């Protein structure tokens, strides 16, 4: 079975439309992995397909992959700057990404024993901002001394 170039182009066009519709359905059903696969198949044939770019950005955003989703939505917006839906999704995503980064920053600050400087006033101005709690310092010192003592015992037995 052979097709003329026009028939091949038409078949490809129908395939792309079907995959785009499939991706939309999968996205609505929260089947993100399948929707991402459908979008990628469309983008293999038409890298500038706005619907596929938009849906891929939405899928990645739904999965919390904001760093990957933002450039994809920006690419879609660059191809169609007047699209208000893409504008809305991108601005929502940028805000979510900023909120996520703030939460992560606060979590790291708490993990490292440096509570937020805005929530509690500083007691001592010349104290370093990354000061280590004395319990941690004591624990680390005890472990280090234990390791040295163990190596001395092992060396004495040999």
């Amino acid at each position: 079975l052979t097709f003329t170039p026009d028939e091949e182009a038409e078949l490809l066009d129908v395939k792309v439309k079907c995959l785009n519709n499939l991706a939309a359905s999968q996205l609505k059903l929260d089947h993100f992995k399948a929707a991402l696969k459908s979008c990628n198949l469309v983008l293999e044939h038409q890298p500038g397909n706005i619907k596929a770019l938009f849906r891929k950005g939405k899928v990645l955003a739904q999965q919390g992959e904001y760093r990957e989703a933002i450039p994809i939505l920006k690419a879609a917006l660059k191809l169609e700057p007047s699209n208000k839906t893409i504008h809305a999704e991108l601005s929502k995503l940028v805000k979510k990404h900023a909120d996520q980064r703030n939460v992560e920053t606060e979590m790291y600050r708490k993990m490292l024993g440096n509570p937020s400087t805005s929530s509690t006033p500083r007691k001592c101005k010349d104290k370093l901002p990354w000061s280590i709690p004395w319990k941690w310092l004591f624990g680390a010192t005890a472990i280090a001394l234990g390791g040295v003592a163990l190596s001395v015992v092992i060396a004495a037995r040999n």
Side-chain angles (χ1 to χ4, degrees), residues 25-76:
S25 302
Q26 292 164 329
L27 186 59
K28 284 217 186 278
L29 294 170
D30 293 341
H31 296 170
F32 302 126
K33 191 174 180 180
L36 190 61
K37 186 177 180 183
S38 297
C39 290
N40 285 334
L41 285 170
V42 170
L43 294 170
E44 278 179 24
H45 297 294
Q46 295 179 355
N49 188 296
I50 293 164
K51 286 182 180 180
L53 286 168
F54 176 70
R55 289 182 182 131
K56 182 176 181 176
K58 265 190 97 133
V59 167
L60 291 169
Q62 290 286 340
Q63 294 178 319
E65 302 291 339
Y66 303 129
R67 269 196 198 112
E68 290 179 45
I70 289 172
I72 290 169
L73 287 174
K74 282 183 180 177

Short mmCIF file of all heavy atoms in Angstrom, two decimals, residues 25-76:
data_model
loop_
_atom_site.label_atom_id
_atom_site.label_comp_id
_atom_site.label_asym_id
_atom_site.label_seq_id
_atom_site.Cartn_x
_atom_site.Cartn_y
_atom_site.Cartn_z
N SER A 25 -8.11 14.22 26.47
CA SER A 25 -8.93 13.27 27.23
C SER A 25 -8.14 12.69 28.40
O SER A 25 -8.64 12.59 29.53
CB SER A 25 -9.40 12.13 26.34
OG SER A 25 -10.13 12.62 25.25
N GLN A 26 -6.91 12.30 28.14
CA GLN A 26 -6.07 11.72 29.20
C GLN A 26 -5.80 12.74 30.30
O GLN A 26 -5.78 12.39 31.48
CB GLN A 26 -4.76 11.21 28.60
CG GLN A 26 -4.96 10.01 27.69
CD GLN A 26 -3.76 9.73 26.79
OE1 GLN A 26 -3.03 10.63 26.40
NE2 GLN A 26 -3.58 8.45 26.44
N LEU A 27 -5.63 13.98 29.92
CA LEU A 27 -5.40 15.04 30.90
C LEU A 27 -6.63 15.22 31.79
O LEU A 27 -6.51 15.34 33.01
CB LEU A 27 -5.05 16.34 30.18
CG LEU A 27 -4.65 17.54 31.03
CD1 LEU A 27 -3.42 17.22 31.88
CD2 LEU A 27 -4.35 18.74 30.14
N LYS A 28 -7.81 15.20 31.18
CA LYS A 28 -9.05 15.34 31.96
C LYS A 28 -9.25 14.18 32.93
O LYS A 28 -9.82 14.35 34.00
CB LYS A 28 -10.25 15.43 31.03
CG LYS A 28 -10.40 16.77 30.35
CD LYS A 28 -11.86 17.13 30.24
CE LYS A 28 -12.06 18.39 29.45
NZ LYS A 28 -11.88 19.59 30.19
N LEU A 29 -8.77 13.00 32.53
CA LEU A 29 -8.92 11.82 33.38
C LEU A 29 -7.76 11.66 34.37
O LEU A 29 -7.68 10.64 35.07
CB LEU A 29 -9.01 10.56 32.50
CG LEU A 29 -10.25 10.47 31.62
CD1 LEU A 29 -10.12 9.31 30.63
CD2 LEU A 29 -11.50 10.29 32.48
N ASP A 30 -6.87 12.64 34.41
CA ASP A 30 -5.69 12.61 35.29
C ASP A 30 -4.74 11.46 34.98
O ASP A 30 -4.05 10.96 35.86
CB ASP A 30 -6.09 12.57 36.77
CG ASP A 30 -6.77 13.84 37.22
OD1 ASP A 30 -6.62 14.88 36.53
OD2 ASP A 30 -7.45 13.82 38.27
N HIS A 31 -4.72 11.02 33.73
CA HIS A 31 -3.76 10.01 33.30
C HIS A 31 -2.55 10.76 32.72
O HIS A 31 -2.36 10.81 31.50
CB HIS A 31 -4.38 9.09 32.25
CG HIS A 31 -5.52 8.28 32.77
ND1 HIS A 31 -6.33 7.54 31.95
CD2 HIS A 31 -5.99 8.08 34.03
CE1 HIS A 31 -7.25 6.93 32.68
NE2 HIS A 31 -7.07 7.25 33.95
N PHE A 32 -1.76 11.32 33.62
CA PHE A 32 -0.70 12.25 33.23
C PHE A 32 0.41 11.60 32.40
O PHE A 32 0.88 12.19 31.44
CB PHE A 32 -0.12 12.95 34.45
CG PHE A 32 -1.16 13.70 35.24
CD1 PHE A 32 -1.33 13.47 36.59
CD2 PHE A 32 -1.97 14.63 34.62
CE1 PHE A 32 -2.29 14.16 37.31
CE2 PHE A 32 -2.93 15.33 35.33
CZ PHE A 32 -3.09 15.09 36.68
N LYS A 33 0.80 10.40 32.78
CA LYS A 33 1.88 9.74 32.05
C LYS A 33 1.48 9.48 30.60
O LYS A 33 2.25 9.74 29.67
CB LYS A 33 2.24 8.42 32.76
CG LYS A 33 3.49 7.77 32.29
CD LYS A 33 3.82 6.56 33.15
CE LYS A 33 5.08 5.89 32.67
NZ LYS A 33 5.43 4.71 33.47
N ALA A 34 0.26 9.01 30.41
CA ALA A 34 -0.24 8.73 29.06
C ALA A 34 -0.41 10.03 28.27
O ALA A 34 -0.09 10.10 27.08
CB ALA A 34 -1.57 7.98 29.13
N ALA A 35 -0.91 11.07 28.94
CA ALA A 35 -1.10 12.37 28.27
C ALA A 35 0.24 12.94 27.83
O ALA A 35 0.36 13.49 26.72
CB ALA A 35 -1.82 13.35 29.20
N LEU A 36 1.25 12.80 28.67
CA LEU A 36 2.58 13.29 28.33
C LEU A 36 3.13 12.55 27.12
O LEU A 36 3.71 13.15 26.21
CB LEU A 36 3.51 13.12 29.54
CG LEU A 36 4.87 13.78 29.47
CD1 LEU A 36 4.73 15.29 29.33
CD2 LEU A 36 5.68 13.45 30.71
N LYS A 37 2.89 11.24 27.08
CA LYS A 37 3.34 10.43 25.94
C LYS A 37 2.65 10.89 24.65
O LYS A 37 3.30 11.04 23.60
CB LYS A 37 3.07 8.95 26.21
CG LYS A 37 3.61 8.02 25.18
CD LYS A 37 3.37 6.56 25.55
CE LYS A 37 3.91 5.65 24.49
NZ LYS A 37 3.63 4.24 24.77
N SER A 38 1.35 11.14 24.72
CA SER A 38 0.60 11.59 23.54
C SER A 38 1.10 12.95 23.06
O SER A 38 1.27 13.17 21.86
CB SER A 38 -0.89 11.67 23.86
OG SER A 38 -1.40 10.39 24.18
N CYS A 39 1.35 13.85 24.01
CA CYS A 39 1.87 15.18 23.65
C CYS A 39 3.23 15.06 22.98
O CYS A 39 3.50 15.73 21.97
CB CYS A 39 1.98 16.07 24.89
SG CYS A 39 0.40 16.57 25.57
N ASN A 40 4.07 14.21 23.53
CA ASN A 40 5.42 14.03 22.96
C ASN A 40 5.36 13.46 21.54
O ASN A 40 6.16 13.83 20.69
CB ASN A 40 6.28 13.17 23.87
CG ASN A 40 6.75 13.92 25.10
OD1 ASN A 40 6.86 15.14 25.09
ND2 ASN A 40 7.00 13.19 26.17
N LEU A 41 4.40 12.56 21.30
CA LEU A 41 4.25 12.01 19.96
C LEU A 41 3.83 13.10 18.97
O LEU A 41 4.32 13.14 17.84
CB LEU A 41 3.22 10.87 19.96
CG LEU A 41 3.69 9.55 20.57
CD1 LEU A 41 2.53 8.58 20.75
CD2 LEU A 41 4.78 8.93 19.72
N VAL A 42 2.93 13.98 19.40
CA VAL A 42 2.52 15.10 18.54
C VAL A 42 3.73 15.99 18.26
O VAL A 42 3.98 16.38 17.11
CB VAL A 42 1.39 15.94 19.19
CG1 VAL A 42 1.14 17.21 18.41
CG2 VAL A 42 0.11 15.13 19.29
N LEU A 43 4.48 16.30 19.31
CA LEU A 43 5.61 17.22 19.17
C LEU A 43 6.76 16.63 18.34
O LEU A 43 7.56 17.37 17.79
CB LEU A 43 6.10 17.67 20.55
CG LEU A 43 5.08 18.52 21.32
CD1 LEU A 43 5.51 18.72 22.76
CD2 LEU A 43 4.86 19.86 20.64
N GLU A 44 6.81 15.29 18.25
CA GLU A 44 7.81 14.66 17.35
C GLU A 44 7.52 15.04 15.90
O GLU A 44 8.44 15.27 15.12
CB GLU A 44 7.75 13.14 17.49
CG GLU A 44 8.50 12.59 18.66
CD GLU A 44 8.38 11.06 18.75
OE1 GLU A 44 8.13 10.40 17.72
OE2 GLU A 44 8.52 10.55 19.87
N HIS A 45 6.24 15.07 15.57
CA HIS A 45 5.84 15.39 14.19
C HIS A 45 5.72 16.90 13.96
O HIS A 45 6.04 17.38 12.88
CB HIS A 45 4.50 14.73 13.85
CG HIS A 45 4.54 13.24 13.89
ND1 HIS A 45 5.29 12.49 13.01
CD2 HIS A 45 3.94 12.34 14.72
CE1 HIS A 45 5.15 11.20 13.29
NE2 HIS A 45 4.34 11.08 14.32
N GLN A 46 5.25 17.61 14.98
CA GLN A 46 5.05 19.06 14.86
C GLN A 46 5.57 19.75 16.12
O GLN A 46 4.80 19.99 17.06
CB GLN A 46 3.56 19.38 14.66
CG GLN A 46 2.97 18.87 13.38
CD GLN A 46 1.48 19.20 13.27
OE1 GLN A 46 0.86 19.73 14.18
NE2 GLN A 46 0.92 18.87 12.12
N PRO A 47 6.86 20.06 16.17
CA PRO A 47 7.44 20.66 17.38
C PRO A 47 6.79 21.99 17.79
O PRO A 47 6.85 22.37 18.95
CB PRO A 47 8.91 20.89 17.00
CG PRO A 47 9.15 19.99 15.85
CD PRO A 47 7.86 19.82 15.13
N GLY A 48 6.14 22.65 16.85
CA GLY A 48 5.51 23.93 17.17
C GLY A 48 4.01 23.82 17.38
O GLY A 48 3.30 24.83 17.30
N ASN A 49 3.50 22.64 17.67
CA ASN A 49 2.07 22.47 17.87
C ASN A 49 1.67 23.09 19.20
O ASN A 49 2.04 22.59 20.27
CB ASN A 49 1.70 20.98 17.82
CG ASN A 49 0.21 20.75 17.83
OD1 ASN A 49 -0.46 21.08 18.80
ND2 ASN A 49 -0.29 20.18 16.74
N ILE A 50 0.91 24.16 19.14
CA ILE A 50 0.58 24.94 20.34
C ILE A 50 -0.25 24.14 21.33
O ILE A 50 0.00 24.18 22.54
CB ILE A 50 -0.14 26.25 19.94
CG1 ILE A 50 0.85 27.13 19.18
CG2 ILE A 50 -0.67 26.98 21.15
CD1 ILE A 50 0.23 28.24 18.40
N LYS A 51 -1.23 23.40 20.82
CA LYS A 51 -2.07 22.60 21.73
C LYS A 51 -1.24 21.56 22.47
O LYS A 51 -1.40 21.36 23.68
CB LYS A 51 -3.18 21.90 20.94
CG LYS A 51 -4.29 22.81 20.50
CD LYS A 51 -5.36 22.02 19.77
CE LYS A 51 -6.48 22.94 19.31
NZ LYS A 51 -7.53 22.18 18.61
N ALA A 52 -0.34 20.89 21.76
CA ALA A 52 0.49 19.87 22.40
C ALA A 52 1.45 20.50 23.41
O ALA A 52 1.65 19.96 24.51
CB ALA A 52 1.27 19.08 21.35
N LEU A 53 2.03 21.64 23.06
CA LEU A 53 2.91 22.34 24.00
C LEU A 53 2.15 22.75 25.25
O LEU A 53 2.62 22.56 26.38
CB LEU A 53 3.54 23.58 23.33
CG LEU A 53 4.63 23.30 22.30
CD1 LEU A 53 4.95 24.58 21.53
CD2 LEU A 53 5.88 22.76 22.97
N PHE A 54 0.96 23.32 25.05
CA PHE A 54 0.14 23.77 26.17
C PHE A 54 -0.22 22.59 27.08
O PHE A 54 -0.07 22.66 28.29
CB PHE A 54 -1.13 24.46 25.66
CG PHE A 54 -2.07 24.86 26.76
CD1 PHE A 54 -1.75 25.89 27.63
CD2 PHE A 54 -3.27 24.20 26.94
CE1 PHE A 54 -2.62 26.26 28.65
CE2 PHE A 54 -4.14 24.56 27.95
CZ PHE A 54 -3.82 25.59 28.82
N ARG A 55 -0.67 21.51 26.47
CA ARG A 55 -1.07 20.34 27.26
C ARG A 55 0.11 19.69 27.96
O ARG A 55 0.01 19.25 29.11
CB ARG A 55 -1.81 19.33 26.38
CG ARG A 55 -3.18 19.87 25.99
CD ARG A 55 -3.98 18.90 25.17
NE ARG A 55 -5.25 19.54 24.83
CZ ARG A 55 -5.75 19.59 23.61
NH1 ARG A 55 -5.12 19.00 22.60
NH2 ARG A 55 -6.89 20.20 23.38
N LYS A 56 1.25 19.66 27.29
CA LYS A 56 2.45 19.10 27.94
C LYS A 56 2.83 19.96 29.14
O LYS A 56 3.16 19.43 30.21
CB LYS A 56 3.62 19.04 26.94
CG LYS A 56 4.87 18.42 27.53
CD LYS A 56 5.98 18.27 26.51
CE LYS A 56 7.21 17.64 27.13
NZ LYS A 56 8.27 17.39 26.15
N GLY A 57 2.76 21.28 28.97
CA GLY A 57 3.04 22.17 30.10
C GLY A 57 2.07 21.94 31.25
O GLY A 57 2.45 21.91 32.42
N LYS A 58 0.79 21.75 30.92
CA LYS A 58 -0.21 21.51 31.96
C LYS A 58 0.04 20.19 32.68
O LYS A 58 -0.08 20.11 33.90
CB LYS A 58 -1.62 21.48 31.34
CG LYS A 58 -2.34 22.81 31.42
CD LYS A 58 -3.78 22.66 31.02
CE LYS A 58 -4.61 22.50 32.25
NZ LYS A 58 -5.79 23.32 32.32
N VAL A 59 0.38 19.15 31.91
CA VAL A 59 0.66 17.84 32.51
C VAL A 59 1.83 17.95 33.48
O VAL A 59 1.76 17.49 34.62
CB VAL A 59 0.96 16.78 31.42
CG1 VAL A 59 1.56 15.52 32.03
CG2 VAL A 59 -0.29 16.43 30.65
N LEU A 60 2.91 18.57 33.03
CA LEU A 60 4.09 18.71 33.89
C LEU A 60 3.76 19.54 35.13
O LEU A 60 4.22 19.23 36.24
CB LEU A 60 5.23 19.35 33.10
CG LEU A 60 5.82 18.44 32.01
CD1 LEU A 60 6.76 19.23 31.11
CD2 LEU A 60 6.54 17.25 32.62
N ALA A 61 2.94 20.56 34.96
CA ALA A 61 2.53 21.38 36.10
C ALA A 61 1.71 20.56 37.09
O ALA A 61 1.91 20.66 38.31
CB ALA A 61 1.73 22.59 35.62
N GLN A 62 0.81 19.73 36.57
CA GLN A 62 -0.01 18.88 37.44
C GLN A 62 0.86 17.90 38.23
O GLN A 62 0.52 17.51 39.33
CB GLN A 62 -1.03 18.09 36.61
CG GLN A 62 -2.13 18.92 36.01
CD GLN A 62 -3.15 19.38 37.04
OE1 GLN A 62 -3.26 18.81 38.11
NE2 GLN A 62 -3.86 20.43 36.71
N GLN A 63 1.99 17.53 37.64
CA GLN A 63 2.91 16.61 38.32
C GLN A 63 3.89 17.35 39.23
O GLN A 63 4.75 16.74 39.83
CB GLN A 63 3.68 15.79 37.28
CG GLN A 63 2.80 14.86 36.49
CD GLN A 63 3.57 14.08 35.43
OE1 GLN A 63 4.44 14.64 34.76
NE2 GLN A 63 3.24 12.83 35.26
N GLY A 64 3.77 18.68 39.30
CA GLY A 64 4.65 19.47 40.15
C GLY A 64 6.00 19.76 39.53
O GLY A 64 6.90 20.24 40.20
N GLU A 65 6.15 19.49 38.24
CA GLU A 65 7.41 19.73 37.53
C GLU A 65 7.41 21.15 36.96
O GLU A 65 7.42 21.36 35.76
CB GLU A 65 7.59 18.71 36.41
CG GLU A 65 7.57 17.26 36.85
CD GLU A 65 8.79 16.88 37.68
OE1 GLU A 65 9.81 17.57 37.59
OE2 GLU A 65 8.68 15.90 38.42
N TYR A 66 7.39 22.14 37.86
CA TYR A 66 7.25 23.54 37.42
C TYR A 66 8.43 24.01 36.58
O TYR A 66 8.26 24.72 35.61
CB TYR A 66 7.07 24.46 38.63
CG TYR A 66 5.88 24.08 39.48
CD1 TYR A 66 5.99 23.91 40.85
CD2 TYR A 66 4.62 23.87 38.91
CE1 TYR A 66 4.90 23.56 41.63
CE2 TYR A 66 3.53 23.52 39.68
CZ TYR A 66 3.69 23.37 41.04
OH TYR A 66 2.60 23.01 41.80
N ARG A 67 9.64 23.59 36.95
CA ARG A 67 10.84 24.03 36.21
C ARG A 67 10.80 23.59 34.76
O ARG A 67 11.34 24.25 33.89
CB ARG A 67 12.11 23.48 36.87
CG ARG A 67 12.66 24.41 37.89
CD ARG A 67 14.09 24.05 38.25
NE ARG A 67 14.39 24.70 39.50
CZ ARG A 67 14.60 24.09 40.64
NH1 ARG A 67 14.57 22.78 40.71
NH2 ARG A 67 14.85 24.75 41.74
N GLU A 68 10.22 22.42 34.51
CA GLU A 68 10.12 21.92 33.13
C GLU A 68 8.92 22.52 32.41
O GLU A 68 8.98 22.77 31.21
CB GLU A 68 9.98 20.39 33.13
CG GLU A 68 11.22 19.65 33.56
CD GLU A 68 11.01 18.15 33.56
OE1 GLU A 68 10.43 17.63 32.60
OE2 GLU A 68 11.41 17.51 34.54
N ALA A 69 7.83 22.74 33.14
CA ALA A 69 6.59 23.20 32.53
C ALA A 69 6.67 24.66 32.06
O ALA A 69 6.15 25.00 30.99
CB ALA A 69 5.43 23.04 33.51
N ILE A 70 7.33 25.51 32.84
CA ILE A 70 7.35 26.95 32.53
C ILE A 70 7.97 27.23 31.15
O ILE A 70 7.36 27.93 30.34
CB ILE A 70 8.03 27.75 33.67
CG1 ILE A 70 7.11 27.75 34.89
CG2 ILE A 70 8.35 29.17 33.23
CD1 ILE A 70 7.74 28.33 36.14
N PRO A 71 9.16 26.69 30.82
CA PRO A 71 9.72 26.98 29.48
C PRO A 71 8.84 26.45 28.33
O PRO A 71 8.80 27.06 27.27
CB PRO A 71 11.08 26.29 29.48
CG PRO A 71 11.31 25.77 30.82
CD PRO A 71 10.09 25.92 31.63
N ILE A 72 8.15 25.35 28.57
CA ILE A 72 7.28 24.80 27.52
C ILE A 72 6.10 25.73 27.28
O ILE A 72 5.74 26.01 26.13
CB ILE A 72 6.83 23.36 27.91
CG1 ILE A 72 8.05 22.43 27.82
CG2 ILE A 72 5.71 22.88 27.00
CD1 ILE A 72 7.84 21.06 28.41
N LEU A 73 5.51 26.22 28.36
CA LEU A 73 4.39 27.15 28.21
C LEU A 73 4.87 28.48 27.61
O LEU A 73 4.15 29.10 26.82
CB LEU A 73 3.69 27.39 29.54
CG LEU A 73 2.83 26.22 30.04
CD1 LEU A 73 2.30 26.49 31.43
CD2 LEU A 73 1.70 25.93 29.08
N LYS A 74 6.09 28.89 27.95
CA LYS A 74 6.64 30.11 27.34
C LYS A 74 6.82 29.93 25.84
O LYS A 74 6.59 30.86 25.06
CB LYS A 74 7.97 30.49 28.00
CG LYS A 74 7.81 31.16 29.33
CD LYS A 74 9.15 31.57 29.91
CE LYS A 74 8.98 32.26 31.25
NZ LYS A 74 10.27 32.60 31.85
N ALA A 75 7.25 28.73 25.42
CA ALA A 75 7.41 28.44 23.99
C ALA A 75 6.06 28.50 23.28
O ALA A 75 5.95 29.06 22.18
CB ALA A 75 8.05 27.07 23.80
N ALA A 76 5.02 27.97 23.92
CA ALA A 76 3.67 28.02 23.33
C ALA A 76 3.20 29.46 23.23
O ALA A 76 2.61 29.87 22.22
CB ALA A 76 2.69 27.20 24.18
#
